[in-house]
């Protein structure tokens, strides 16, 4: 990733496209599995984390923000997935539609989910490319990669906000599960 930025970028963006395609194919062919859902989320987190580690090296002044983004992304998705598993859901994308309205829109609207995930990955990919090259000029004023980074930066910020909401909601849900289990155990012990 440090030297052959063209190949690295194409591989990264292609993997994101194939990730969306394989999920669609699994649903269309009714081949979705719990293992596949876990593996999908795990590979997504690992790929983004690797890119953010590289960006931390390229832009050390912003290392804290990249580390925060990584930590928030991994912690929120892990806790959300774990809570979904404990609740017996077949997928982390099946949520209680009476719950948080942001997560409801995020998970029930495929276009919104795709836009947020693609925009987030595109933002980080553009930061990666900008380390090497500005990209072709747009209107003679700004490089294409810089323009795309500016346009997708708000998406990345909103996606981080959604991850924070994920973390809060999943933490509350785990607390509810813990309290219910303790109440059941106490009732069984006293009864």
């Amino acid at each position: 990733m440090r030297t052959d930025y063209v190949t690295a970028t194409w591989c990264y963006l292609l993997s994101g496209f194939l990730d969306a395609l394989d999920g669609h194919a699994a649903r269309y062919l009714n081949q979705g599995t719990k293992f596949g859902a876990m593996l999908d989320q795990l590979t997504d987190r690992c790929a983004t984390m690797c890119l953010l580690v590289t960006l931390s090296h390229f832009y050390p002044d912003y290392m804290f923000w990249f580390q925060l983004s990584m930590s928030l992304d991994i912690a929120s998705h892990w806790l959300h997935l774990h809570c979904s598993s404990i609740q017996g859901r077949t997928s982390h994308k099946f949520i209680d539609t009476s719950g948080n309205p942001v997560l409801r829109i995020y998970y029930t609207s495929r276009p919104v989910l795709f836009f947020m995930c693609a925009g987030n990955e595109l933002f980080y990919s553009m930061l990666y490319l900008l380390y090497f090259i500005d990209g072709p000029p747009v209107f003679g004023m700004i490089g294409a990669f810089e323009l795309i980074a500016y346009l997708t930066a708000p998406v990345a910020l909103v996606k981080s906000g959604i991850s924070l909401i994920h973390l809060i909601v999943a933490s509350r849900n785990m607390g509810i599960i813990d309290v219910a289990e303790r109440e059941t155990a106490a009732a069984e012990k006293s009864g």
Side-chain angles (χ1 to χ4, degrees), residues 25-124:
R27 286 185 296 277
Y28 180 78
L29 299 170
N30 199 24
Q31 296 291 312
T33 63
K34 290 178 184 177
F35 176 75
M38 279 235 196
L39 186 61
D40 176 69
Q41 193 174 109
L42 181 62
T43 56
D44 291 349
R45 305 288 71 79
C46 289
T48 303
M49 186 174 60
C50 288
L51 180 56
L52 289 172
V53 167
T54 301
L55 292 175
S56 293
H57 174 75
F58 288 170
Y59 304 104
D61 290 346
Y62 300 97
M63 185 179 292
F64 171 77
W65 299 109
F66 294 128
Q67 290 172 334
L68 181 63
S69 180
M70 281 185 275
S71 299
L72 183 59
D73 189 44
I74 290 169
S76 64
H77 282 86
W78 181 85
L79 191 56
H80 177 74
L81 183 63
H82 188 65
C83 187
S84 296
S85 295
I86 288 175
Q87 292 173 325
R89 295 188 183 141
T90 56
S91 170
H92 65 282
K93 293 182 181 176
F94 296 145
I95 64 157
D96 177 7
T97 56
S98 66
N100 185 282
V102 173
L103 293 181
R104 182 176 55 245
I105 292 168
Y106 184 74
Y107 279 120
T108 60
S109 172
R110 290 204 195 280
V112 169
L113 181 62
F114 177 80
F115 177 78
M116 295 305 300
C117 293
N120 187 62
E121 297 304 320
L122 199 53
F123 171 69
Y124 290 129

